[in-house]
Amino acid sequence: MAESRKFTTAMDHLLSQYQSALKMGLWIGTKNDCLYAYHSHQLFPAASTIKLAIYRYYLQQIKNKQIYLEEPLHVSPKQVVGGAGILSSMSEKACWNIQELLLLMLAVSDNTATNVLIDKVGLSAIQASLTSSEVCLARYLMKPEQNKENWISAAASANLLKDCLTLEATLQIKPSLLAQQQFQEGLPGLLVEAGLPKLKIYNKTGRLHLIEHDVACFEINQQRIYLAGLSYDQEGTGKGIMWLREIGQIVYQHLLKDSPSD
């Protein structure tokens, strides 16, 4: 109980330091319980965290044997978009299987791979699979449309990550595609730099101008904490990434104290 109070106090203090600079949404918890929340149901532009919704849909369809990881998909020049990813630089290869595209979508946040995956099943099918009103997939990546935006909350993004990891385990997808994220400057930032062999990290970032999001799962000795931090930089000072890194460090210390030793 004392550790729980210390954790809450540490989080309260951290948020107070960023109150004026950032609009924040935060959810931290286990699979069944919330440990800390702050504006966790507030909607933010989703950026690339919406890719968790797409991944969950595909995992559900794979589980139901409606889609197969080995299934090939053609990438046409018309589908290529800018932003994060590598497909826009690999025009010599036009055919990829679904597992490759899912990995590119998650590990390097490839927007072209994401749009190809959306094209296969349709925006409406993915949106219909979303049971939370706090997640909305309204448009393709890197294709702005007037009055259409992809939205998400911290609580909803954490739930999406939980669902994706559960489905990966059910389908025995190893290694986890979410464990192969190449962008770990946010919630895991200070931990990755420290090189912590016992810590397993699964995460998905989302970045736009003035926006820094990260949704993660930290695991030590088979104990997990899920955390989702969404931020909008009201002052344009770049404090969103610093906020995420400090959250990750506090959560790691709490998980370390709460986990049984080997």
Side-chain angles (χ1 to χ4, degrees):
M1 190 67 97
E3 284 301 327
S4 180
R5 283 197 297 270
K6 286 181 183 178
F7 175 70
T8 299
T9 300
M11 291 306 310
D12 286 344
H13 178 66
L14 177 64
L15 265 63
S16 70
Q17 292 180 299
Y18 288 93
Q19 200 85 46
S20 62
L22 303 177
K23 183 182 290 186
M24 301 171 285
L26 180 63
W27 191 94
I28 302 168
T30 64
K31 189 171 184 179
N32 300 311
D33 298 308
C34 177
L35 302 177
Y36 191 91
Y38 177 85
H39 293 174
S40 62
H41 299 290
Q42 181 172 325
L43 296 181
F44 288 77
S48 285
T49 59
I50 199 65
K51 293 167 184 175
L52 289 171
I54 299 164
Y55 188 40
R56 184 180 70 168
Y57 177 84
Y58 267 83
L59 290 174
Q60 289 170 335
Q61 296 304 303
I62 292 163
K63 181 182 176 184
N64 294 333
K65 301 188 185 306
Q66 300 298 309
I67 290 175
Y68 297 89
L69 287 171
E70 303 79 16
E71 189 175 339
L73 282 182
H74 182 79
V75 180
S76 74
K78 291 181 180 179
Q79 291 173 301
V80 175
V81 294
I86 61 171
L87 283 186
S88 59
S89 303
M90 300 182 70
S91 57
E92 70 278 2
K93 181 175 178 179
C95 192
W96 302 75
N97 67 37
I98 284 176
Q99 183 165 2
E100 290 171 329
L101 292 172
L102 289 170
L103 179 59
L104 289 171
M105 177 179 75
L106 297 170
V108 295
S109 212
D110 196 295
N111 292 314
T112 297
T114 304
N115 288 348
V116 171
L117 290 165
I118 293 172
D119 264 337
K120 174 176 170 53
V121 297
L123 274 169
S124 58
I126 300 172
Q127 181 60 27
S129 74
L130 301 173
T131 55
S132 170
S133 61
E134 295 176 16
V135 189
C136 175
L137 175 66
R139 63 170 179 81
Y140 287 80
L141 278 294
M142 300 301 294
K143 292 186 177 181
E145 292 185 54
Q146 190 172 6
N147 300 321
K148 286 189 177 183
E149 185 54 272
N150 300 327
W151 298 95
I152 204 162
S153 72
S157 59
N159 283 331
L160 283 172
L161 181 63
K162 290 181 198 176
D163 289 348
C164 289
L165 289 173
T166 298
L167 284 162
E168 279 191 339
T170 299
L171 294 166
Q172 297 185 318
I173 295 176
K174 297 178 182 179
S176 163
L177 302 193
L178 288 159
Q180 300 179 62
Q181 169 67 251
Q182 298 297 300
F183 304 124
Q184 295 190 315
E185 300 91 344
L187 290 168
L190 296 174
L191 309 175
V192 170
E193 293 171 3
L196 303 164
K198 291 184 179 180
L199 177 64
K200 294 180 181 178
I201 298 169
Y202 312 84
N203 77 299
K204 182 71 200 81
T205 59
R207 307 181 78 173
L208 289 171
H209 179 57
L210 302 179
I211 283 176
E212 291 283 357
H213 301 335
D214 204 357
V215 189
C217 171
F218 293 171
E219 179 182 332
I220 298 176
N221 297 328
Q222 298 185 321
Q223 281 198 249
R224 288 179 168 182
I225 285 187
Y226 301 85
L227 51 160
L230 311 183
S231 71
Y232 174 77
D233 190 339
Q234 301 178 109
E235 298 179 347
T237 54
K239 290 183 178 178
I241 197 74
M242 297 162 59
W243 175 68
L244 289 171
R245 288 159 73 93
E246 291 189 62
I247 290 169
Q249 189 171 48
I250 292 172
V251 170
Y252 168 72
Q253 292 296 334
H254 179 72
L255 179 59
L256 195 63
K257 291 174 182 176
D258 203 43
S259 299
S261 56
D262 293 336

